[in-house]
Amino acid sequence: MNEASAALSALREQVQNAAREAGRPPPRLLAVSKTQPAEAVARLADAGQCAFGENYVQEALGKIRALSGRGLEWHLIGNLQSNKAREAAQHFDWVQTVDRPKLVAALAAHRPAGLNPLNVLIQVNPDGEAGKSGCTPGQVPELAAAIAAAPSLRLRGLMAIPEPLPGLEDRREAFALMAKLYAALQSAHPGVDTLSMGMSADYPLAIAEGSTMIRIGTALFGARG
Ligand SMILES: *Cc1c(COP(=O)(O)O)cnc(C)c1O
């Protein structure tokens, strides 16, 4: 077994254990490949991983092109500027960082007609710190309605990057708030099936609070340079 398959199976086992301990279904695993070369993504794809997350549109495009035809699923998980919305809508399968009406309109307008609807998560800022990306909890219903009304978009759920408080337990509150918002969104939009939260340092806690998709970089690829 090579290094990539070993890292992937070790992580999968830890995720299974965390889910079992929490009495939750195991979440989907998004491999966060920012700063990693296409070859590293290819090795993980060969090991069976199919969903990858990227933070920067420009950096991602080279990898998406290099690995096209392999059936990989690409998620944008970094801040999206409106002037990059066209390229994001053309090349990604999911955008997890939609937090304002202008982005909804731009993605909807630019998603090519020949492709499946673009899967969209609303990014929420659960900590209420000013200057951070993500909408407020109160803005979720209106954004959700706008996404659901766009035929070229598909509302899949919510995403959050809670403040990385030093005490792990202190992060629980933000994850729990996200779970509440997610339940409310699901009752208004029954097609919603994704709550994206949890990274290398805190995914067991996120799973315990109801995450359905964890975004893992370091624990799969090693520390970023
Ligand atoms: C980098 C990043 C991750 C992965 O972080 P790790 O700590 O390396 O697992 C997850 N989500 C987002 C939004 C990121 O930017």
Side-chain angles (χ1 to χ4, degrees):
M1 197 161 39
N2 65 31
E3 221 176 298
S5 342
L8 184 60
S9 40
L11 178 66
R12 279 182 177 158
E13 192 177 324
Q14 284 160 11
V15 170
Q16 295 281 350
N17 289 343
R20 191 174 326 107
E21 273 170 35
R24 301 273 191 178
R28 282 194 76 192
L29 172 60
L30 183 70
V32 175
S33 45
K34 63 180 170 210
T35 77
Q36 302 296 333
E39 296 71 41
V41 176
R43 284 192 290 273
L44 212 54
D46 289 340
Q49 175 65 25
C50 75
F52 292 88
E54 288 282 338
N55 288 59
Y56 303 100
V57 173
Q58 224 47 50
E59 180 191 337
L61 290 186
K63 300 180 213 180
I64 294 174
R65 290 205 182 94
L67 299 166
S68 68
R70 301 183 58 135
L72 303 182
E73 185 183 285
W74 294 95
H75 294 233
L76 182 65
I77 60 171
N79 287 342
L80 179 58
Q81 309 293 326
S82 297
N83 64 2
K84 295 273 190 228
R86 175 193 293 268
E87 281 177 304
Q90 287 172 338
H91 298 285
F92 281 85
D93 303 293
W94 291 61
V95 174
Q96 299 205 3
T97 48
V98 172
D99 62 358
R100 53 196 191 276
K102 195 177 165 188
L103 268 185
V104 176
L107 291 170
H110 292 305
R111 180 65 171 176
L115 298 181
N116 290 334
L118 179 67
N119 297 290
V120 168
L121 300 182
I122 298 171
Q123 183 182 357
V124 180
N125 171 3
D127 306 308
E129 309 157 84
K132 258 189 62 173
S133 49
C135 70
T136 66
Q139 289 167 330
V140 170
E142 202 183 320
L143 275 173
I147 295 162
S152 60
L153 305 180
R154 184 169 166 208
L155 176 66
R156 298 296 293 264
L158 302 177
M159 179 270 212
I161 314 170
E163 190 187 354
L165 297 171
L168 260 192
E169 248 333 283
D170 297 332
R171 302 183 194 182
R172 188 185 292 277
E173 200 180 326
F175 289 140
L177 170 62
M178 288 304 303
K180 269 174 67 177
L181 296 173
Y182 178 63
L185 183 65
Q186 268 187 321
S187 48
H189 300 273
V192 157
D193 60 3
T194 304
L195 176 55
S196 168
M197 60 185 193
M199 314 193 346
S200 294
D202 57 17
Y203 71 82
L205 188 60
I207 292 171
E209 294 300 324
S211 170
T212 74
M213 182 185 289
I214 55 174
R215 307 180 307 265
I216 306 293
T218 315
L220 266 179
F221 292 102
R224 284 179 291 276

